[in-house]
Amino acid sequence: EYMEELCELCWTGGFDVLAHFDVVKRVLPKNHTVAAWPRVVEYMRDALRGMVKNQIALEINTWTVRNGMSETSAPGWLVSEFRRMGGEMVTFGSDAHYVNHIGSYYPDALNAARQAGFTEWTIFKRREPMSIPFA
């Protein structure tokens, strides 16, 4: 049901950034990945198509890496799929609930974006996207 709602949300649009795209990984054992669930992956691809159509940015969040998981949320393969489909904007997040978590593991997020072919990241000011080239 969550994945169906995610798809509908992305196809409806009206927002700028989708974070925690693969939040379902929170309930998986640590040695499992979302990519191992073909039906979930198909929902994700459909949601990505909606994001591309509605020009929604994909957030690459590092809370997963900080909490012992092996990949960012969204994982690199999903960021690459988004780019391949025509996605143009990525943002970064770290879910910092403590000062020392601000920007933690951002090199992992930057690496996922670069490997997918992105050369810049996007921030928003009053809902207007602003692109910033990678250093």
Side-chain angles (χ1 to χ4, degrees):
E1 290 176 12
Y2 170 80
M3 296 309 298
E4 289 172 1
E5 291 292 325
L6 179 70
C7 289
E8 185 171 336
L9 176 72
C10 292
W11 281 100
T12 302
F15 60 98
D16 301 314
V17 179
L18 182 66
H20 302 295
F21 192 101
D22 57 343
V23 71
V24 295
K25 73 172 48 171
R26 287 185 180 185
V27 297
L28 296 176
K30 283 192 176 183
N31 61 342
H32 287 77
T33 65
V34 172
W37 299 74
R39 186 167 179 212
V40 172
V41 171
E42 283 310 308
Y43 277 117
M44 288 180 161
R45 286 190 174 120
D46 188 42
L48 289 175
R49 286 188 285 274
M51 290 174 66
V52 170
K53 176 189 171 283
N54 289 305
Q55 297 180 330
I56 298 167
L58 176 63
E59 183 189 78
I60 305 170
N61 195 290
T62 60
W63 76 267
T64 48
V65 180
R66 189 177 66 247
N67 287 291
M69 296 182 196
S70 63
E71 58 190 12
T72 56
S73 175
W77 68 268
L78 195 69
V79 179
S80 293
E81 188 75 2
F82 178 61
R83 183 70 173 159
R84 186 189 65 74
M85 290 179 174
E88 298 177 352
M89 297 182 292
V90 291
T91 64
F92 300 143
S94 58
D95 279 14
H97 297 266
Y98 302 98
V99 172
N100 63 328
H101 289 170
I102 296 172
S104 64
Y105 295 92
Y106 266 25
D108 292 82
L110 182 60
N111 186 47
R114 279 192 168 131
Q115 286 185 349
F118 287 95
T119 58
E120 56 193 24
W121 61 296
T122 303
I123 61 171
F124 290 84
K125 185 171 185 177
R126 294 188 176 108
R127 298 201 67 200
E128 289 298 319
M130 298 178 357
S131 298
I132 301 172
F134 296 150

